[in-house]
């Protein structure tokens, strides 16, 4: 019951945060099929999942109906054995879908069936990282093309977008989309290589390096070998195309990994319930390490050596070759649900070894203690360093530069929309002219009221002006006009204060001596002093 409750909450969570206007309902009508599909995609982005067209029925050249489902609908059987499969899969037989068909008489499209429930949790905050919801606007594509023509690396181009938007989270695409667009659409590669002999072989080898390098280190190594083999070390354009990982790029890679952990599943290699427990809790990267131990368990032979009061000692033989077995001692405490192996893999790497897993299987344990599932490798853990402010969070620039970047970034979508036709472009031009005239009038009005002529200036307005801040200079200050007079005034004030203080001290001494007389014993006397005015040497009591 508890598991069902948690799963239900995860499934229903998106519906509670999505506006009711975005939720698809039976009976909704749309002018075109594209409008219906766009409406469902917008809902999917707000709810935290992606969609795909499951099937489309036609009659001749006309579409009659269409089924759009959650992208995690269906479950395909892989040709690779589960014991060898390590890649993740997204299919989870998710039932979420909408069914759209045409209305012949009206010429519109209507939603006839809606299923909102999912077989998996949805996360709206990670929806922007899903492939369907990532896109490159026209202004972004133009910038990529110009930068590529200028020889700017894709990583630098992407970082410029990050800096302009204010961080990775403000973009609806990733660096991989920039690289894919360059590879598919820009194709400036032939013009860079046509001058070399055997440029076809160069392009083929370069493609192998780009697509078959699975890490930064392997890419750097393969790319340097590629430049050396073809004598391209002097080519500045090719030499500049090296992937450099900065701190922000590492953060972005982890965000992409988090999204993959949440929206895909690596199938279990065995039928073990313990493996399923780790599959549900751990990230893909760490679960692959755990799976290696489950696969290695097949080479282990477990024998019970001693058992008393729930404490058992096992000897596990691991076959490392056709005739060699390594022996390990494993202890299991059924009362404390604790297992220990002398190989100390868990103590060193935090992963249960295949010897311990073999003993747990021998003891028919279906769930391991929570102490063996470390939180730092959980896919649900919240990364702390991603919330540390970076240089993109608060750009160090003057207010005018900030406003300029914000206006440019917002105007890109307007320009892209208006460029679709001459009529829309003309509307935007007229709007620009009207806005420009209004802003110039406001600026002229403010300039007229803020400027003061010689006749309009008065004492009140002059008093509002502030003197410039005083700045300390190095060394001894130079003599200036009026400094001699200021010294005379300061000396006279100092002598005056010294005289007043001496009189007060004499008065205090006389009061103390007078208070010792017998005729004033038991009486309290209070004195009130006034601050002496200029030229007044008297003292008020």
């Amino acid at each position: 019951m508890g598991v069902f409750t948690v799963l239900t909450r995860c499934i229903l969570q998106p519906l509670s945060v999505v506006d009711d206007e975005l939720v698809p309902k039976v009976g909704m009508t749309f002018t075109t099929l594209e409008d219906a599909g766009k409406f469902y995609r917008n809902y999917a982005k707000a709810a935290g999942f992606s969609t795909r067209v499951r099937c489309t029925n036609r009659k001749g050249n006309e579409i009659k109906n269409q089924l759009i489902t959650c992208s995690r609908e269906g479950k395909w059987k892989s040709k690779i054995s589960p014991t060898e499969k390590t890649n993740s899969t997204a299919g989870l037989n998710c039932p979420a879908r909408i069914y759209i068909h045409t209305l012949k008489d009206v010429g519109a499209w209507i939603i006839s069936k809606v299923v909102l429930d999912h077989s998996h949790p949805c996360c709206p905050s990670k929806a922007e990282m899903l492939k369907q919801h990532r896109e490159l606007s026209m202004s972004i594509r133009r910038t990529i093309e110009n930068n590529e023509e200028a020889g700017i690396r894709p990583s630098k181009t992407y970082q410029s977008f990050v800096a302009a938007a204010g961080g990775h989270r403000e973009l609806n695409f990733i660096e991989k989309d920039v690289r894919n667009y360059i590879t598919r659409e820009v194709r400036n590669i032939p013009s860079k290589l046509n001058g070399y002999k055997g440029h076809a072989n160069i392009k083929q080898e370069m493609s192998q390096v780009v697509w078959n390098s699975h890490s930064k280190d392997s890419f750097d190594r393969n790319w340097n070998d590629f430049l050396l083999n073809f004598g391209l070390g002097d080519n500045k354009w090719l030499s500049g195309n090296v992937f450099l990982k900065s701190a922000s790029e590492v953060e972005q890679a982890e965000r992409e990994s988090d999204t993959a952990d949440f929206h895909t599943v690596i199938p279990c290699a065995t039928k073990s319930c313990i493996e399923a427990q780790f599959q549900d809790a751990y990230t893909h990267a760490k679960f692959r390490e755990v799976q290696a131990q489950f696969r290695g368990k097949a080479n282990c032979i477990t024998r019970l050596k001693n058992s008393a009061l729930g404490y058992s000692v096992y000897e596990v033989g691991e076959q490392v070759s056709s005739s060699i077995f390594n022996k390990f001692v494993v202890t299991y405490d059924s009362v404390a649900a604790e297992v220990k192996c002398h190989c100390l893999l868990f103590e060193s790497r935090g992963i249960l070894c295949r010897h311990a897993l073999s003993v747990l299987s021998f003891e028919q344990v279906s769930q391991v203690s929570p102490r063996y599932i470390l939180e730092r490798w959980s896919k649900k853990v919240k990364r702390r360093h991603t919330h540390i402010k970076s240089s993109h969070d608060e750009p160090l620039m003057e207010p005018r530069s900030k406003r300029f970047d914000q206006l440019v970034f917002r105007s890109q979508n307007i320009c892209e929309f208006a460029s679709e036709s001459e009529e829309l472009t003309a509307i935007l031009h007229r709007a620009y002219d009207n806005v420009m005239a209004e802003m110039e009038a406001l600026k002229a009005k403010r300039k007229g009221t803020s400027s003061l002529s010689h006749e309009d200036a008065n004492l009140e307005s002059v008093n509002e002006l502030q003197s410039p801040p005083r700045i300390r200079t190095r060394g001894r200050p130079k003599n200036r006009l009026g400094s001699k007079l200021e010294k005379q005034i300061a000396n006279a004030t100092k002598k005056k204060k010294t005289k007043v203080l001496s009189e007060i001290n004499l008065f205090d001494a006389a009061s103390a001596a007078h208070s010792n007389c017998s005729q004033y014993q038991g009486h309290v006397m209070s004195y009130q002093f006034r601050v002496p005015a200029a030229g007044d040497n008297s003292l008020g009591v």
Side-chain angles (χ1 to χ4, degrees):
M1 184 63 179
V3 176
F4 177 79
T5 304
V6 173
L7 182 60
T8 304
R9 288 177 182 174
C10 292
I11 294 174
L12 297 182
Q13 181 183 0
L15 301 183
S16 61
V17 298
V18 178
D19 294 339
D20 185 67
E21 297 179 354
L22 296 178
V23 179
K25 302 177 183 66
V26 175
M28 283 185 168
T29 57
F30 302 90
T31 305
T32 63
L33 180 62
E34 290 75 16
D35 292 340
K38 184 178 180 181
F39 176 82
Y40 193 49
R41 287 194 299 271
N42 292 336
Y43 162 73
K45 184 175 182 179
F49 67 98
S50 59
T51 67
R52 65 184 183 90
V53 177
R54 183 68 177 85
C55 63
T56 301
N57 294 327
R58 303 173 181 268
K59 186 176 182 181
N61 294 329
E62 296 183 358
I63 298 177
K64 295 299 181 181
N65 52 65
Q66 191 173 82
L67 175 63
I68 307 178
T69 67
C70 172
S71 60
R72 306 191 72 174
E73 180 267 344
K75 194 166 186 179
W76 300 270
K77 291 184 178 180
S78 176
K79 297 180 180 179
I80 303 176
S81 172
T83 59
E84 300 177 358
K85 184 176 176 60
T86 59
N87 292 337
S88 59
T89 180
L92 281 179
N93 289 325
C94 183
R97 63 190 62 205
I98 63 170
Y99 185 78
I100 313 168
H101 71 269
T102 183
L103 296 174
K104 296 181 180 179
D105 300 334
V106 183
W109 296 83
I110 187 172
I111 298 179
S112 59
K113 183 178 180 180
V114 176
V115 178
L116 299 179
D117 292 339
H118 294 263
S119 63
H120 55 90
C122 299
C123 186
S125 62
K126 291 184 172 64
E128 62 181 8
M129 300 300 298
L130 298 177
K131 184 177 180 180
Q132 183 185 52
H133 303 311
R134 304 197 308 259
E135 59 181 355
L136 300 176
S137 63
M138 178 182 293
S139 61
I140 296 295
R141 295 196 298 269
R142 288 291 300 129
T143 304
I144 295 174
E145 294 169 2
N146 293 334
N147 289 0
E148 184 67 15
E149 183 65 24
I152 300 176
R153 296 195 302 267
S155 60
K156 295 298 183 182
T157 299
Y158 178 73
Q159 288 303 319
S160 68
F161 294 140
V162 173
H168 292 284
R169 303 176 192 85
E170 305 301 325
L171 295 178
N172 56 351
F173 59 92
I174 61 178
E175 184 178 342
K176 182 179 179 180
D177 298 324
V178 176
R179 296 185 182 278
N180 289 343
Y181 178 75
I182 293 174
T183 303
R184 291 194 303 262
E185 305 296 336
V186 179
R187 303 183 184 276
N188 56 345
I189 294 178
S191 62
K192 301 288 183 180
L193 302 178
N194 283 343
Y196 290 92
K197 183 178 180 180
H199 64 273
N201 295 332
I202 294 177
K203 289 191 295 182
Q204 182 179 2
E205 182 64 21
M206 183 167 58
S207 178
Q208 293 290 331
V209 172
V210 171
W211 294 109
N212 294 335
S213 300
H214 303 291
S215 67
K216 178 183 179 300
D217 294 336
S218 64
F219 176 84
D220 292 340
R221 184 173 57 255
N222 296 336
W223 187 263
N224 291 332
D225 293 342
F226 159 72
L227 296 178
L228 184 63
N229 294 337
F230 287 93
L232 302 174
D234 296 333
N235 189 302
K236 296 182 179 180
W237 182 80
L238 291 176
S239 300
N241 281 269
V242 179
F243 299 159
L244 301 177
K245 292 287 183 180
S246 63
S248 58
E249 290 174 319
V250 172
E251 175 189 347
Q252 177 68 6
E254 290 179 345
R255 291 181 66 233
E256 297 174 21
S257 177
D258 290 343
T259 303
D261 293 339
F262 195 86
H263 288 277
T264 59
V265 177
I266 295 180
C268 291
T270 66
K271 301 296 183 180
S272 172
C273 296
I274 299 178
E275 184 184 4
Q277 188 179 2
F278 284 106
Q279 177 198 45
D280 181 66
Y282 276 1
T283 63
H284 286 2
K286 186 54 61 174
F287 180 61
R288 286 190 177 97
E289 297 182 28
V290 175
Q291 267 195 337
Q293 300 301 318
F294 276 94
R295 292 190 177 96
K297 189 181 67 171
N299 298 324
C300 296
I301 300 176
T302 305
R303 290 187 296 179
L304 178 62
K305 301 292 292 184
N306 190 12
S307 179
L309 300 178
Y311 186 83
S312 304
V313 179
Y314 288 88
E315 183 183 79
V316 178
E318 180 183 5
Q319 186 175 9
V320 294
S321 67
S322 58
S323 59
I324 300 176
F325 284 81
N326 293 336
K327 296 182 180 181
F328 300 88
V329 177
V330 181
T331 60
Y332 177 69
D333 188 345
S334 60
V335 178
E338 185 178 18
V339 61
K340 289 184 178 181
C341 179
H342 286 182
C343 74
L344 300 178
L345 182 65
F346 181 78
E347 286 76 8
S348 61
R349 293 174 52 193
I351 301 175
L352 284 177
C353 64
R354 46 193 173 275
H355 321 118
L357 293 174
S358 180
V359 170
L360 292 176
S361 177
F362 189 89
E363 290 280 349
Q364 297 183 354
V365 177
S366 59
Q367 296 286 317
V368 296
S369 173
R371 71 167 66 96
Y372 298 112
I373 301 179
L374 304 185
E375 183 181 3
R376 63 178 177 269
W377 292 320
S378 172
K379 66 174 68 174
K380 301 174 184 177
V381 71
K382 194 172 185 180
R383 298 185 187 272
R384 292 179 176 87
H385 66 271
T386 56
H387 300 281
I388 299 176
K389 289 189 176 182
S390 63
S391 59
H392 304 306
D393 296 330
E394 295 181 0
L396 299 176
M397 59 177 67
E398 59 177 345
R400 184 175 182 181
S401 298
K402 289 184 179 180
R403 293 192 295 268
F404 176 80
D405 289 346
Q406 292 171 356
L407 290 172
V408 171
F409 194 73
R410 292 197 62 184
S411 63
Q412 292 172 353
N413 295 331
I414 300 176
C415 295
E416 180 175 355
F417 183 80
S419 63
E420 294 180 358
S421 65
E422 293 291 341
E423 293 80 2
L424 294 177
T425 302
I427 293 175
L428 184 58
H429 279 305
R430 289 196 298 270
Y432 276 150
D433 295 338
N434 296 334
V435 171
M436 192 64 185
E438 184 179 354
M439 290 190 298
E440 289 178 346
L442 179 60
K443 186 176 181 180
K445 181 179 178 181
R446 288 184 174 179
K447 183 178 181 180
T449 56
S450 61
S451 61
L452 292 173
S453 62
H454 292 289
E455 293 78 9
D456 296 335
N458 52 33
L459 182 62
E460 181 179 358
S461 62
V462 173
N463 289 336
E464 293 177 356
L465 300 178
Q466 298 181 357
S467 59
R470 185 176 181 180
I471 302 176
R472 295 187 60 183
T473 58
R474 298 182 60 184
R476 181 180 178 182
K478 299 180 179 179
N479 293 333
R480 57 185 177 83
L481 184 64
S483 59
K484 185 176 181 180
L485 179 61
E486 289 181 356
K487 288 181 180 181
Q488 294 175 353
I489 295 174
N491 292 334
T493 304
K494 184 177 181 180
K495 292 179 180 179
K496 194 173 185 179
K497 290 183 178 180
T498 304
K499 185 177 181 180
V500 172
L501 291 175
S502 62
E503 292 179 354
I504 294 176
N505 294 333
L506 291 174
F507 184 81
D508 290 339
S511 301
H514 190 65
S515 63
N516 293 331
C517 297
S518 58
Q519 57 180 336
Y520 288 102
Q521 288 181 358
H523 294 276
V524 178
M525 300 180 66
S526 61
Y527 302 93
Q528 293 181 350
F529 302 95
R530 65 180 175 83
V531 179
D536 185 6
N537 296 329
S538 62
L539 186 62
V541 179

